[in-house]
């Protein structure tokens, strides 16, 4: 497995292009299952999770053409309704095929995703919603088996505002008879991006971006040509890198409106953040102020930025508290950061961090995607050499991360082992 080696301590300077959003691309590529004919998606990031999604769709019978960041998918000949364990275990988001398969083929058999490093991550709300829409759901031998005649629009209350749950149910409801109303729906930009694409395909969805989404079913959808929105988490990771290394980094091709919480927190830490013409410039200051952070559903501070912010707080002046309210086990980076000299104590879902003057490079192990990103950031700021093992996780969600950091002046390289 590859390793990433970083000689830390360099201040990052320059411009970086932000890639298309992984978490928008996954459901959007999967939405091709709802149509017959070639869909074209541009700005698709080249990531392991995107490859897993393509493998999943190919296995269902879709045809796929890829040329640089353009992916074309024709799901017209999809006949297989099963997403097998081997595909789902590589990527939990595979569960997103459940809604569209039931809507289009009237049946689906999808391996139940297990828990993952960051939490139990149940899918009970996906199943509750599909049942409300009239699907018959059975759990057998580790698989969800769903069958339905034409789904029927219903009112569905989501106990927790789940992102992929909202996406799955939107994709199930677009071809249902009648109107579905999702209450306490997720408001994440990726949900809005999917709703926009579905509307472009001929769906009738209103309210995406609010907590009440109404979906009036239509009889058929048509293929589309769409561009994937920028990745707000990749953008946020580069913004933190600028503040952390006291650098001066400008992000190109990002969407500042999706980053309000992150911009606000960085300013409170003392970084100078300028937003102009779709660009975000972050200048780090010598002294980083300690602030408290609580992760919340959008538009609150994203859980996917929690680990990266913890690195920043590790070298801030004073004491800060970071509370994780979305996932029950998302502090797995803490033990590795402590090995690099961070002073962090955990109590329940809160990390208490006392800033230290600097971190020191060490061999560390990546355990999930955003934890891996935090270790890269820690390595960039640390004195000495950091060796990050198991970069497999990083490749799931960050495109060319070492090249992008290298172009900003970091001493970072990948070693094939
Ligand atoms: N939940 C339930 N029941 C459900 C679904 C969710 O209790 O049926 C709970 C979860 O256990 C969690 C909370 O609801 O406590 C929110 O989870 P959500 O369903 O929103 O998470 P997700 O849809 O599985 C997506 C992203 C994650 C991101 C979260 C939160 C994708 C493919 N994944 O996951 O991204 O952290 O929303 O914003 O969109 C990542 O990119 O590294 C990543 C983990």
């Amino acid at each position: 497995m590859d390793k990433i080696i970083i000689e830390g301590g360099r201040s990052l300077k320059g411009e970086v292009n932000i890639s298309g959003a992984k978490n928008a691309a996954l459901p959007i590529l999967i939405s091709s299952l709802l149509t017959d004919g070639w869909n074209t998606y541009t700005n698709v990031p080249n990531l392991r999770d995107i490859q897993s999604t393509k493998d999943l769709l190919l296995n269902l019978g879709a045809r796929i053409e890829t040329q640089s960041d353009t992916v074309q998918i024709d799901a017209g000949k999809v006949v297989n309704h099963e997403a097998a364990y081997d595909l789902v275990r590589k990527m939990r988001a595979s569960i997103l095929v459940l809604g569209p398969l039931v809507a289009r083929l009237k049946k689906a058999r999808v391996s139940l995703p297990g828990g993952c490093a960051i939490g139990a991550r149940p899918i009970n709300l996906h199943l509750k919603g599909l049942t409300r829409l009239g699907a018959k759901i059975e759990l057998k031998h580790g698989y969800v088996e769903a069958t339905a005649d034409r789904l029927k629009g219903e009112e569905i209350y989501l106990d927790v505002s789940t992102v992929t749950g909202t996406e799955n149910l939107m994709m199930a409801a677009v071809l249902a008879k009648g109107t579905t109303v999702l209450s306490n729906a997720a408001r994440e930009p990726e949900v809005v991006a999917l709703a926009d694409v579905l509307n472009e395909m001929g769906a009738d969805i209103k309210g995406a971006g609010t907590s009440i989404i109404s979906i009036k079913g239509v009889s058929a959808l048509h293929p589309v040509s769409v561009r994937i929105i920028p990745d707000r988490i990749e953008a946020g990771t580069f913004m933190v890198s600028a503040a952390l290394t006291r650098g001066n980094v400008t992000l190109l091709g990002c969407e500042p409106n999706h980053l309000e919480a992150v911009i606000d927190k960085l300013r409170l830490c003392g970084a100078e953040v300028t937003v102009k013409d779709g660009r975000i410039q972050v200048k780090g200051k010598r002294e980083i102020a300690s602030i408290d952070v609580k992760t919340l559903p959008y538009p609150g501070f994203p859980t996917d930025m929690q680990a990266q912010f913890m690195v920043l707080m590790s070298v801030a002046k004073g004491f800060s508290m970071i509370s994780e309210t979305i996932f029950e086990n998302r502090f797995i980076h803490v033990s590795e950061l402590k090995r690099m000299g961070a002073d962090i104590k955990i109590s329940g879902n809160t990390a208490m961090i006392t800033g230290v003057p600097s971190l020191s490079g060490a061999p560390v192990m990546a355990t999930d995607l955003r934890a891996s990103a935090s270790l890269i950031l820690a390595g960039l700021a640390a004195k000495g050499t950091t060796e990050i093992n198991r970069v497999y996780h990083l490749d799931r969600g960050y495109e060319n991360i070492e090249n992008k950091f290298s172009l900003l002046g970091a001493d970072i390289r990948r070693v094939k082992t």
Side-chain angles (χ1 to χ4, degrees):
M1 240 182 265
D2 297 359
K3 289 176 182 179
I4 286 184
I5 316 266
I6 305 173
E7 297 296 331
R10 294 193 176 196
S11 186
L12 301 183
K13 291 193 174 66
E15 295 181 340
V16 59
N17 282 307
I18 298 307
S19 299
K22 166 178 86 78
N23 289 347
L26 302 183
I28 289 173
L29 296 190
I30 288 173
S31 72
S32 64
L33 287 173
L34 294 163
T35 62
D36 184 352
W38 285 99
N39 294 275
T40 303
Y41 308 103
T42 54
N43 202 33
V44 179
N46 183 10
L47 302 169
R48 197 179 279 259
D49 273 7
I50 296 293
Q51 190 52 51
S52 301
T53 306
K54 289 191 211 165
D55 292 343
L56 182 65
L57 293 170
L58 282 170
N59 195 265
L60 293 172
R63 292 186 293 165
I64 303 184
E65 302 283 341
T66 303
Q67 206 163 30
S68 79
D69 72 351
T70 301
V71 177
Q72 291 182 291
I73 306 179
D74 174 8
K77 296 208 167 46
V78 163
V79 280
N80 181 10
H81 65 282
E82 177 168 324
Y85 174 69
D86 258 1
L87 293 164
V88 178
R89 77 180 164 82
K90 286 194 192 135
M91 189 187 64
R92 305 189 83 263
S94 306
I95 192 66
L96 284 166
V97 300
L98 188 61
L101 283 180
V102 179
R104 177 106 184 273
L105 301 183
K106 319 282 181 235
K107 57 183 177 181
R109 186 167 188 266
V110 180
S111 174
L112 270 168
C116 81
I118 63 177
R121 304 185 75 181
I123 55 155
N124 57 314
L125 300 173
H126 301 230
L127 303 185
K128 171 184 162 181
L130 279 172
T131 307
R132 289 280 295 164
L133 294 177
K136 185 169 164 248
I137 306 272
E138 288 182 287
L139 301 183
K140 280 190 194 159
H141 308 295
Y143 278 76
V144 182
E145 295 187 1
T147 45
D149 295 326
R150 189 172 176 200
L151 296 170
K152 288 197 186 64
E154 258 301 345
E155 290 184 4
I156 301 171
Y157 171 73
L158 298 169
D159 313 50
V160 183
S161 82
T162 155
V163 175
T164 47
T166 303
E167 292 165 349
N168 226 343
L169 294 174
M170 273 197 319
M171 289 193 279
V174 279
L175 293 176
K177 188 172 183 326
T179 301
T180 299
V181 179
L182 300 178
S183 308
N184 197 25
R187 293 184 284 164
E188 270 66 7
E190 294 75 20
V191 171
V192 179
L194 173 65
D196 287 346
V197 170
L198 292 170
N199 281 338
E200 190 80 23
M201 291 162 97
D204 186 353
I205 304 177
K206 295 197 174 70
T210 75
S211 58
I212 299 191
I213 302 181
S214 106
I215 307 140
K216 195 167 161 197
V218 296
S219 53
L221 298 174
H222 55 78
V224 283
S225 183
V226 291
R227 185 175 168 82
I228 304 297
I229 60 166
D231 196 311
R232 64 194 167 100
I233 306 301
E234 187 202 24
T237 305
F238 279 100
M239 289 163 71
V240 170
S241 78
L244 184 67
T245 64
R246 282 80 169 172
N248 182 351
V249 173
T250 300
L251 278 60
L252 310 178
C254 58
E255 178 45 85
N257 291 330
H258 296 167
L259 283 153
E260 275 184 82
V262 174
I263 292 173
D264 181 61
K265 290 291 177 195
L266 279 173
R267 284 184 175 143
L268 290 171
C269 291
E272 193 181 312
V273 184
T274 316
V275 179
K276 205 174 163 199
D277 305 330
R279 295 169 163 222
I280 302 178
Q281 183 184 24
V282 182
K283 281 192 207 167
K285 289 286 146 66
R286 193 61 265 129
E287 192 166 292
I288 299 166
S290 283
I291 55 158
D292 294 342
V293 175
K294 185 179 188 175
T295 63
L296 288 168
Y298 189 85
F301 187 88
T303 173
D304 290 344
M305 282 300 300
Q306 179 257 107
Q308 300 89 314
F309 239 77
M310 194 175 298
V311 178
L312 189 61
M313 291 303 94
S314 298
V315 293
K317 191 172 164 53
F319 176 78
S320 69
M321 291 205 288
I322 297 187
S323 304
E324 171 59 56
T325 75
I326 309 291
F327 292 112
E328 63 273 23
N329 192 27
R330 215 174 194 182
F331 284 146
I332 31 189
H333 42 283
V334 168
S335 49
E336 298 300 280
L337 293 178
K338 281 166 87 166
R339 294 184 53 251
M340 296 178 73
D343 181 350
I344 306 172
K345 289 187 184 60
I346 306 279
S347 172
N349 71 342
T350 302
M352 288 158 289
I353 306 137
T354 306
V356 294
S358 66
L359 298 175
S360 66
V364 287
M365 181 87 86
T367 40
D368 87 275
L369 172 54
R370 308 303 170 187
S372 312
S374 79
L375 295 178
I376 296 256
L377 293 178
L380 292 170
K383 287 190 173 143
T385 310
T386 296
E387 181 185 297
I388 299 160
N389 294 284
R390 279 211 206 151
V391 294
Y392 161 86
H393 292 287
L394 207 56
D395 295 336
R396 287 189 38 222
Y398 286 89
E399 191 179 38
N400 284 332
I401 193 164
E402 68 273 20
N403 294 347
K404 289 188 181 186
F405 275 125
S406 240
L407 287 171
L408 294 174
D411 185 342
I412 178 170
R413 69 201 150 89
R414 180 182 286 250
V415 179
K416 304 243 174 235
T417 55

